Amino acid sequence: MSIIKDIYDVAKEGASQASKIGAVKRALRTEAKLNLQFLMDVSLSLAIDDERRVEIIKNLETVELAAAVRYELPYLAISRKKVTKTLAENYKIKRIQGYDLEKLIESLFLMITYLKKDFKNKRIDLNLRLININKYNNLLLELLK
């Protein structure tokens, strides 16, 4: 086999891989944007009752987040960004500083999934939980830019 054929095969495989990574990034970004729409009342600090909060919780999507957590993804190929000190301060979440895409996705997935399963728990402040989910969701969009 010639060296040119080998180079061609490697380049073709790299292009295919880049296309797949782009599709994963788009799917995650689309789901985060959809959740952003559901969380709009929360992000605008509108006065909403618990019934509306429960509706928002039930509507939050986790399909792509679950797939990202479940399957081994090349997170560094999707985004090399990390949550910087400035971003952590902007979103007022100090503990998230240094998170990479993988840790952020996992945290957001766990937050949403837990809340979907235990939203009837009277000890949970639904508004505070939704505010935190909104912050993490916005950070995810920031890292996927």
Side-chain angles (χ1 to χ4, degrees):
M1 224 188 246
S2 75
I3 189 73
I4 294 173
K5 172 75 168 108
D6 289 342
I7 291 172
Y8 171 78
D9 289 344
V10 169
K12 186 176 177 182
E13 184 178 318
S16 173
Q17 193 72 1
S19 174
K20 290 175 186 174
I21 288 169
V24 169
K25 189 174 183 176
R26 253 188 326 279
L28 286 168
R29 193 173 35 233
T30 301
E31 185 169 90
K33 286 179 180 178
L34 178 61
N35 284 341
L36 189 65
Q37 291 300 313
F38 291 132
L39 292 163
M40 192 59 65
D41 292 349
V42 175
S43 66
L44 296 173
S45 300
L46 297 177
I48 55 177
D49 59 7
D50 275 350
E51 188 176 313
R52 176 65 182 135
R53 287 185 188 102
V54 169
E55 283 180 38
I56 292 169
I57 292 165
K58 288 180 178 180
N59 285 327
L60 290 174
E61 292 289 330
T62 60
V63 174
E64 299 302 332
L65 292 172
V69 169
R70 191 171 299 121
Y71 302 110
E72 206 168 305
L73 293 178
Y75 290 102
L76 287 177
I78 295 170
S79 176
R80 293 186 177 275
K81 296 178 184 177
K82 288 190 173 195
V83 179
T84 62
K85 183 178 181 180
T86 306
L87 276 176
E89 288 173 357
N90 286 349
Y91 289 99
K92 298 178 178 115
I93 313 174
K94 291 180 183 177
R95 70 180 174 275
I96 203 167
Q97 184 179 335
Y99 275 30
D100 59 4
L101 183 64
E102 181 178 6
K103 191 154 184 167
L104 182 61
I105 286 173
E106 182 180 337
S107 296
L108 182 58
F109 171 72
L110 290 172
M111 291 168 71
I112 293 172
T113 304
Y114 172 75
L115 197 55
K116 282 181 162 244
K117 292 181 185 278
D118 202 24
F119 63 87
K120 292 181 182 179
N121 186 339
K122 296 296 180 193
R123 293 178 294 180
I124 294 176
D125 182 348
L126 296 179
N127 195 53
L128 182 60
R129 296 287 176 106
L130 286 172
I131 288 169
N132 286 331
I133 288 171
N134 185 52
K135 289 177 183 180
Y136 277 61
N137 192 66
N138 284 325
L139 271 168
L140 177 60
L141 283 169
E142 191 76 33
L143 293 189
L144 291 173
K145 280 185 183 177

